[in-house]
Amino acid sequence: MRNTPSQGGGMNEIRHTYHGQLDDLRVDVVRLGLMATDAIGAGTDAFLEADLAAADRVIHADTAIDELTYSLEERCYTTLARQQPMASDLRMVVAVLRTIHEIERTGDLMINVAKTTRRLYPVELPDPIRRLIERMGNQASLQLRTAIEAFAESDCARAMALEDMDDVMDDLQRELFRTIFALGRADEAGLQQMVQVALVGRYYERMADHAVNIGERVNYMVTGEMPGFEGGDEPNPDDSLGITLD
């Protein structure tokens, strides 16, 4: 049966709504990434200043990150079920599902940093440690921001540059460990404090890894090439040194 003008107009309206939903997904992923970037900055400042109130704000703010993550996830599933997207649209929805996971984990890692602020309070960090943690926080923020910009602009060049940027974070983590050992805190309290600092360094290193993973998802979204999994998901960093944190 030949479509009437009204039928054709209805189909166009459906497609317009569908593409509007995809645009909304992209916008909210960027918003989620900015929230996590803000958490990195606020949490790093709280840790360096031993600011318990600021640390609590970082912990409570993660609720908004979780809520937006769940909303995006549900909307992706709805789009997959109702619209059955194909080709680049399908890759975009799949990339969103993976990207929001990486961002949400970054928020969780900042909760760990905030909780470490509580554990170390009111210990004043040695200046060499402070400088390194500040640089690691800045590097994590830079890499996440770059990853989100790459996602927003479908920029493969920027996305794939993240792997090389990650070398900076790896070097900082090694320097942090060297500094911890050089300080030679042999008493039990000092050892416990340095273990906590080492864990914080590990958290930042994992944040940078999540940014690299986002870059791989962007490359997949644009080109259809499946990301490599050499640096894929690792065990919960809370357990990375054999220590369970609450």
Side-chain angles (χ1 to χ4, degrees):
M1 187 176 79
R2 183 169 59 88
N3 285 340
T4 65
S6 60
Q7 289 173 320
M11 182 61 68
N12 288 337
E13 180 64 28
I14 290 172
R15 298 303 297 174
H16 178 76
T17 300
Y18 164 58
H19 286 292
Q21 291 169 348
L22 295 182
D23 290 340
D24 288 344
L25 286 175
R26 188 186 293 265
V27 168
D28 279 348
V29 170
V30 173
R31 184 158 65 94
L32 184 69
L34 293 175
M35 292 164 66
T37 303
D38 288 344
I40 294 174
T44 302
D45 288 344
F47 182 75
L48 293 174
E49 301 304 322
D51 188 334
L52 295 182
D56 284 346
R57 287 194 293 272
V58 171
I59 293 170
H60 293 309
D62 190 65
T63 300
I65 293 177
D66 289 342
E67 289 175 349
L68 183 53
T69 299
Y70 299 147
S71 170
L72 279 160
E73 190 172 27
E74 287 298 321
R75 285 149 58 191
C76 284
Y77 292 148
T78 298
T79 299
L80 289 171
R82 294 182 178 177
Q83 303 294 344
Q84 299 181 348
M86 303 291 288
S88 61
D89 288 349
L90 176 60
R91 295 200 304 271
M92 187 248 179
V93 175
V94 172
V96 167
L97 283 168
R98 293 299 301 163
T99 296
I100 61 177
H101 166 75
E102 308 290 353
I103 297 172
E104 191 269 340
R105 284 296 301 132
T106 297
D108 288 345
L109 289 165
M110 282 314 304
I111 288 181
N112 291 345
V113 174
K115 288 183 176 180
T116 306
T117 304
R118 293 171 169 175
R119 294 187 188 98
L120 290 179
Y121 184 83
V123 172
E124 184 173 341
L125 296 172
D127 284 342
I129 296 291
R130 287 178 56 85
R131 288 192 293 269
L132 282 168
I133 293 296
E134 183 176 16
R135 290 171 63 190
M136 295 181 84
N138 289 339
Q139 184 66 21
S141 293
L142 173 62
Q143 289 185 223
L144 180 57
R145 187 165 61 249
T146 300
I148 296 305
E149 289 170 354
F151 177 88
E153 300 171 17
S154 298
D155 187 340
C156 284
R158 191 175 302 183
M160 300 316 293
L162 283 159
E163 188 169 352
D164 289 331
M165 292 173 67
D166 198 49
D167 291 341
V168 176
M169 182 65 85
D170 292 339
D171 289 343
L172 287 170
Q173 188 184 30
R174 284 191 287 268
E175 187 175 351
L176 179 66
F177 285 143
R178 286 194 296 268
T179 302
I180 288 172
F181 288 125
L183 289 171
R185 299 291 299 276
D187 58 291
E188 184 175 351
L191 285 172
Q192 289 294 332
Q193 291 161 11
M194 290 303 101
V195 166
Q196 295 295 328
V197 170
L199 282 170
V200 167
R202 174 64 171 155
Y203 300 149
Y204 284 116
E205 189 268 339
R206 283 301 295 145
M207 292 177 215
D209 285 347
H210 286 303
V212 172
N213 290 345
I214 293 171
E216 292 179 342
R217 305 302 170 186
V218 171
N219 189 60
Y220 164 73
M221 179 176 70
V222 176
T223 68
E225 296 179 4
M226 292 297 292
F229 293 98
E230 293 181 4
D233 289 344
E234 299 180 11
N236 190 325
D238 289 358
D239 302 326
S240 61
L241 297 182
I243 297 173
T244 301
L245 302 180
D246 53 53

